[in-house]
Amino acid sequence: MIYNGIGHPHYDTLGLQIGQALGENAAFPLVGHDGEIARDEEGEPCT
Amino acid sequence: MTPVSGATREVRNEQERDLAFLDSAYTVPDAEIANLHEHGWARLPGLLNAEVVAELRRRLADEPLRPLDALGKSYRKLGGNTAADTDSEPVKFLDHELDSKHNQNHEGMAWRNPFFRRVGTSRRVAGAAVQLMRRDRAVFIQDISFFKPGGGGSPTAMHQDYASWPFDRKGAITIWIALVDVSEDMGPLAYLEDSHREGPLGLAGKLDIRSTYPHLADAKVVAGRALKAGDAQVHWDLTVHGAGPNATDVVREAYLTRFTGAT
């Protein structure tokens, strides 16, 4: 799912860049079957 | 450090015990997962308990409402419009936003208040989301309330959510959680069955999308039944949905969480 820049009162506030995948933006929590999955300093999931 | 009294500690422990419910698993029945994928919607009875619902309502009461014209103003920022432009004519296909009897919203609480983030990312809620999406991972992308006022709350015309969102593709789900008991005359959410297969149909505003796409008049209207506080329903971003008026004096309160795939 890629951000396309169309204005929106929520998504405008989260530092998204046009063309960025939502899953790559640390503003959006990653979740799994047991709840939130922590990200490391580079935004990658801690496994 | 300020000492914590025994009474305060007891209250905190009580709240933690209540909210620990969020760490419990919700097993989505296979039939509901199949219904979401095959027909565009699902039911999650008893997703939240009374304690979590009460805390959501209490916290929402402290949150600011989203301005009625917020979505339209965001649209008008496109193309480098000036501040004067953003305050000019409303966007025709967002006319429902300006109707204070339509819905009042709080938005993005989970991005400024840890309690809402705990709810949205919980095993209870997020775990249900990944089951529904048939994924191992997802991204929590939005939370928003929809409060349809009592005393003549306006109906919500049949529409898709997808057209209002800044994404390049379909695939997001909404978990719509009732925060009060919702009777059939309060405007529970209803869907056009199988409409998630239609593809994007565009913005509709107060216009019922069936008037633009007459073949949808043949689609079966499903759900729209009474819900208990804590019950939830789920739909895709392309599922056509809407709600009747709120004919009661009670505000129809709902809290929504939205998820999409992580890849």
Side-chain angles (χ1 to χ4, degrees), chain A residues 29-32 35-41 43-47, chain B residues 117 137:
Chain A
L30 278 177
V31 296
E36 184 161 5
I37 299 168
R39 294 178 188 259
D40 63 21
E41 289 179 355
E44 297 298 316
C46 298
T47 53
Chain B
R117 181 175 173 126
R137 286 181 182 168

Side-chain angles (χ1 to χ4, degrees), chain A:
Chain A
M1 186 82 75
I2 289 173
Y3 176 65
N4 64 16
I6 292 176
H8 188 282
H10 172 60
Y11 300 104
D12 288 354
T13 67
L14 299 174
L16 283 159
Q17 302 297 311
I18 293 174
Q20 184 180 32
L22 272 67
E24 294 175 357
N25 187 311
F28 297 103
L30 278 177
V31 296
H33 289 275
D34 293 324
E36 184 161 5
I37 299 168
R39 294 178 188 259
D40 63 21
E41 289 179 355
E42 295 177 348
E44 297 298 316
C46 298
T47 53

Side-chain angles (χ1 to χ4, degrees), chain B residues 156-208:
Chain B
T156 304
M158 286 288 180
H159 68 284
Q160 293 174 323
D161 292 330
Y162 178 80
S164 315
W165 296 348
F167 307 140
D168 71 326
R169 70 195 73 179
K170 67 177 184 177
I173 62 166
T174 293
I175 301 180
W176 191 104
I177 307 167
L179 297 183
V180 295
D181 290 348
V182 178
S183 57
E184 291 190 16
D185 56 356
M186 288 173 70
L189 210 56
Y191 310 102
L192 297 189
E193 195 167 55
D194 302 338
S195 57
H196 64 307
R197 301 183 189 281
E198 286 291 324
L201 301 173
L203 289 167
K206 284 190 171 180
L207 192 66
D208 188 314

